[in-house]
Short mmCIF file of all heavy atoms in Angstrom, two decimals:
data_model
loop_
_atom_site.label_atom_id
_atom_site.label_comp_id
_atom_site.label_asym_id
_atom_site.label_seq_id
_atom_site.Cartn_x
_atom_site.Cartn_y
_atom_site.Cartn_z
N ILE A 258 180.43 172.52 101.35
CA ILE A 258 180.82 173.76 102.04
C ILE A 258 180.76 173.53 103.56
O ILE A 258 181.69 173.90 104.29
CB ILE A 258 179.90 174.92 101.65
CG1 ILE A 258 180.16 175.28 100.17
CG2 ILE A 258 180.15 176.15 102.52
CD1 ILE A 258 179.15 176.24 99.60
N ILE A 259 179.67 172.94 104.06
CA ILE A 259 179.53 172.70 105.49
C ILE A 259 180.64 171.78 105.99
O ILE A 259 181.27 172.07 107.03
CB ILE A 259 178.15 172.09 105.79
CG1 ILE A 259 177.04 173.12 105.49
CG2 ILE A 259 178.08 171.64 107.25
CD1 ILE A 259 175.64 172.57 105.53
N LEU A 260 180.89 170.68 105.26
CA LEU A 260 181.93 169.75 105.68
C LEU A 260 183.31 170.40 105.65
O LEU A 260 184.11 170.22 106.59
CB LEU A 260 181.92 168.50 104.77
CG LEU A 260 182.99 167.43 105.11
CD1 LEU A 260 182.78 166.90 106.52
CD2 LEU A 260 182.93 166.28 104.07
N GLY A 261 183.57 171.18 104.64
CA GLY A 261 184.87 171.86 104.51
C GLY A 261 185.11 172.81 105.68
O GLY A 261 186.22 172.85 106.23
N ILE A 262 184.08 173.54 106.05
CA ILE A 262 184.21 174.47 107.17
C ILE A 262 184.44 173.73 108.46
O ILE A 262 185.29 174.10 109.29
CB ILE A 262 182.95 175.38 107.27
CG1 ILE A 262 182.88 176.33 106.08
CG2 ILE A 262 182.97 176.18 108.56
CD1 ILE A 262 181.59 177.10 105.97
N ILE A 263 183.72 172.64 108.66
CA ILE A 263 183.89 171.81 109.86
C ILE A 263 185.32 171.27 109.96
O ILE A 263 185.96 171.31 111.04
CB ILE A 263 182.89 170.64 109.89
CG1 ILE A 263 181.46 171.15 110.12
CG2 ILE A 263 183.26 169.63 111.00
CD1 ILE A 263 180.39 170.08 109.98
N VAL A 264 185.86 170.80 108.86
CA VAL A 264 187.23 170.26 108.82
C VAL A 264 188.24 171.36 109.15
O VAL A 264 189.18 171.14 109.94
CB VAL A 264 187.54 169.63 107.43
CG1 VAL A 264 189.03 169.27 107.36
CG2 VAL A 264 186.68 168.40 107.21
N LEU A 265 188.06 172.56 108.60
CA LEU A 265 189.00 173.66 108.90
C LEU A 265 188.93 174.05 110.38
O LEU A 265 189.97 174.29 111.01
CB LEU A 265 188.63 174.88 108.03
CG LEU A 265 189.07 174.82 106.56
CD1 LEU A 265 188.52 176.00 105.80
CD2 LEU A 265 190.59 174.73 106.43
N VAL A 266 187.72 174.06 110.94
CA VAL A 266 187.58 174.39 112.35
C VAL A 266 188.30 173.36 113.21
O VAL A 266 189.04 173.67 114.16
CB VAL A 266 186.08 174.49 112.75
CG1 VAL A 266 185.93 174.56 114.27
CG2 VAL A 266 185.43 175.70 112.10
N LEU A 267 188.06 172.06 112.89
CA LEU A 267 188.71 170.97 113.65
C LEU A 267 190.23 171.05 113.50
O LEU A 267 190.97 170.78 114.50
CB LEU A 267 188.21 169.62 113.16
CG LEU A 267 186.75 169.28 113.48
CD1 LEU A 267 186.36 167.98 112.79
CD2 LEU A 267 186.56 169.17 114.98
N TYR A 268 190.73 171.45 112.36
CA TYR A 268 192.17 171.57 112.13
C TYR A 268 192.75 172.64 113.00
O TYR A 268 193.76 172.43 113.71
CB TYR A 268 192.46 171.84 110.67
CG TYR A 268 193.93 172.12 110.37
CD1 TYR A 268 194.81 171.09 110.25
CD2 TYR A 268 194.41 173.41 110.26
CE1 TYR A 268 196.18 171.32 110.02
CE2 TYR A 268 195.74 173.65 110.05
CZ TYR A 268 196.62 172.61 109.91
OH TYR A 268 197.97 172.84 109.69
N ILE A 273 192.36 167.59 114.39
CA ILE A 273 192.92 166.79 113.27
C ILE A 273 194.15 167.50 112.77
O ILE A 273 194.39 168.68 113.06
CB ILE A 273 191.88 166.60 112.15
CG1 ILE A 273 191.47 167.93 111.57
CG2 ILE A 273 190.69 165.83 112.64
CD1 ILE A 273 190.53 167.81 110.37
#
Side-chain angles (χ1 to χ4, degrees):
I258 293 170
I259 293 170
L260 180 60
I262 292 171
I263 291 173
V264 172
L265 284 174
V266 170
L267 290 175
Y268 174 80
I273 61 176

